[in-house]
Amino acid sequence: MKKRILTGDRPTGPLHLGHYVGTLANRVRLQDEYEVFLVVADYHALTRDQEKAHIVATRQFSRELVLDYLAVGIDPDKTTMYVQSDVPSVCELHLLFSMLITTPRLDRVPSLKEVMDAEHIEQPTYGLLGYPVLQAADILHVKAHLVPVGKDQESHIEVTRELARRFNFLYGQVFPEPDALIGDVPTLPGTDGKSKMSKSVGNAIFLSDDAKTVEQKVRAMYTDPTRIRADIPAEPEGNPVFAYHDAFNQNKAEVEDLKTRYRTGKVGDVEVKKKLAAALNVFLDPIRERRAYFAARPKLVDEILAAGIAKVRPISQQTVDDAREAMGLGKAQSSVDSQQ
Ligand code: ATP
Ligand code: MG
């Protein structure tokens, strides 16, 4: 039997270049080797925003997310995609896991503080503190072995591993201890020079942006603020424009030439950015084409998500039954009834 992958994204906006290098490329690459599950994490989106209008908007984003998956090359015949709240048995596992971890441990998860800062949250809700516990339930209700994520989520997978270990120690072997798989670029910086491109911060180039938008965003990108003229030698390291060249420009000789001239004060930012916008558009063109193809078939997304529910629900229920039995709770009555 193939080992399983589970990973996913919050439906809080379109996917961007950071997602591609951080996790999407690995998901596409491993579709044959693993049985892959992608969760559209709409419960997780509630940790940020509880306003009804925004919750309703996540439903549209969920569909867009599936289109983004298809556009980068996720094959619906190989990969299972589903919306988290369509498989609510994950909540039961979340509750069981929540008894096995302390709040000080969750307080120490580094992304918590980062999210609170970025989103101007003064006190975390119970749900936000439990973000990595719900993520552990997502991963472990399909007993996944591998979780392709960006570097910012590595600490969450550590929580998953601890929960699996703790559960297995107390009640017997039920869960695998999954590994995180970090992408080629662990964290892609934002167009504003901030350390991480994020869909909700306004510093992202989206996979669905058209060529003109990409050119505009690149032109406005943050570069070395001390370099006020093209003849000032400067270091490409730490400059997001060069980070994107490294990640997406297939013409490696061009990248090396630009870096050499940058170091010696022989190239202007305008040229470096023009070449970057062109390279990004070469990278994005086939993604845009596939997206348009699938967007013209709106029923397809419904079918994919319905198939996802049908596949994941029984797996999830079986895992919850396994966990309950191991703990001594016994199978839930509804689960016993449905088997008679
Ligand atoms: P939000 O601002 O809503 O948190 P996000 O852009 O951080 O959005 P998530 O849905 O939180 O996206 O993350 C989805 C996946 O993409 C995670 O595995 C995360 O680690 C990865 N990821 C997100 N941003 C980047 C980035 N800039 N570089 C590399 N990986 C990233
Ligand atoms: Mg995030």
Side-chain angles (χ1 to χ4, degrees):
M1 223 170 77
K2 280 183 183 171
K3 288 190 170 179
R4 287 182 178 155
I5 278 180
L6 184 134
T7 188
D9 310 273
R10 301 200 290 176
T12 49
L15 295 183
H16 53 64
L17 294 175
H19 293 117
Y20 189 87
V21 287
T23 154
L24 293 173
N26 274 332
R27 302 180 196 181
V28 174
R29 184 171 62 83
L30 294 170
Q31 282 183 105
D32 289 310
E33 206 179 315
Y34 285 79
E35 192 179 1
V36 180
F37 295 85
L38 300 184
V39 58
V40 176
D42 60 344
Y43 282 143
H44 273 112
L46 300 176
T47 56
R48 156 144 33 106
D49 204 328
Q50 296 83 34
E51 210 177 294
K52 184 166 177 183
H54 294 165
I55 296 171
V56 172
T58 64
R59 297 173 74 88
Q60 186 52 31
F61 282 138
S62 297
R63 302 181 59 81
E64 298 286 323
L65 210 51
V66 174
L67 283 178
D68 280 336
Y69 292 157
L70 298 171
V72 295
I74 296 290
D75 180 344
D77 291 333
K78 296 178 185 161
T79 289
T80 303
M81 293 167 256
Y82 68 99
V83 176
Q84 193 179 30
S85 67
D86 284 335
V87 188
S89 45
V90 76
C91 299
E92 187 170 354
L93 202 56
H94 171 245
L95 179 120
L96 300 178
F97 285 164
S98 71
M99 309 301 167
L100 303 181
I101 190 160
T102 66
T103 54
R105 170 67 184 93
L106 292 170
D107 254 331
R108 286 199 305 273
V109 173
S111 60
L112 176 67
K113 197 172 171 328
E114 281 156 29
V115 167
M116 286 174 62
D117 286 348
E119 294 172 15
H120 312 291
I121 297 169
E122 280 178 20
Q123 295 286 335
T125 60
Y126 178 53
L128 181 60
L129 193 66
Y131 190 113
V133 182
L134 181 55
Q135 199 169 349
D138 283 326
I139 296 164
L140 293 177
H141 81 143
V142 301
K143 300 187 178 171
H145 294 88
L146 194 66
V147 193
V149 285
K151 181 84 183 162
D152 62 309
Q153 298 222 344
E154 200 175 26
S155 58
H156 295 188
I157 313 311
E158 195 44 48
V159 170
T160 299
R161 294 170 59 84
E162 285 173 29
L163 281 166
R165 259 199 312 270
R166 179 92 186 125
F167 188 100
N168 293 342
F169 171 75
L170 287 171
Y171 308 117
Q173 181 70 33
V174 171
F175 296 108
E177 231 180 272
D179 290 311
L181 177 68
I182 310 297
D184 286 346
V185 180
T187 308
L188 193 77
T191 52
D192 56 357
K194 294 229 172 74
S195 60
K196 182 181 167 300
M197 182 179 281
S198 278
K199 53 175 129 69
S200 46
V201 175
N203 67 359
I205 294 177
F206 298 113
L207 300 175
S208 46
D209 279 343
D210 61 27
K212 276 250 140 10
T213 307
V214 169
E215 280 162 29
Q216 280 160 7
K217 285 184 177 176
V218 170
R219 216 179 302 135
M221 265 183 81
Y222 172 95
T223 47
D224 187 342
T226 61
R227 191 168 187 262
I228 47 175
R229 283 192 329 268
D231 60 359
I232 300 176
E235 282 307 316
E237 284 72 29
N239 183 330
V241 178
F242 280 102
Y244 294 8
H245 265 298
D246 281 335
F248 298 101
N249 191 341
Q250 292 309 309
N251 186 345
K252 298 298 166 206
E254 178 176 275
V255 177
E256 278 322 301
D257 170 63
L258 288 172
K259 283 184 180 172
T260 308
R261 289 196 285 138
Y262 198 75
R263 285 196 185 95
T264 49
K266 293 200 173 70
V267 66
D269 282 355
V270 175
E271 183 184 342
V272 181
K273 286 181 169 180
K274 263 206 176 121
K275 292 204 159 119
L276 174 62
L280 288 178
N281 282 326
V282 166
F283 169 76
L284 289 172
D285 269 341
I287 296 178
R288 292 179 183 126
E289 239 170 73
R290 273 198 300 267
R291 196 175 206 285
Y293 173 88
F294 290 114
R297 290 161 178 76
K299 273 219 184 96
L300 188 69
V301 172
D302 296 324
E303 286 164 16
I304 287 171
L305 291 175
I309 295 174
K311 169 109 189 242
V312 179
R313 270 193 190 155
I315 296 175
S316 176
Q317 191 54 55
Q318 181 63 54
T319 304
V320 172
D321 285 348
D322 292 349
R324 290 182 56 122
E325 291 221 63
M327 292 172 76
L329 273 172
K331 264 190 197 153
Q333 198 52 44
S334 61
S335 169
V336 174
D337 290 346
S338 70
Q339 281 169 17
Q340 283 167 355

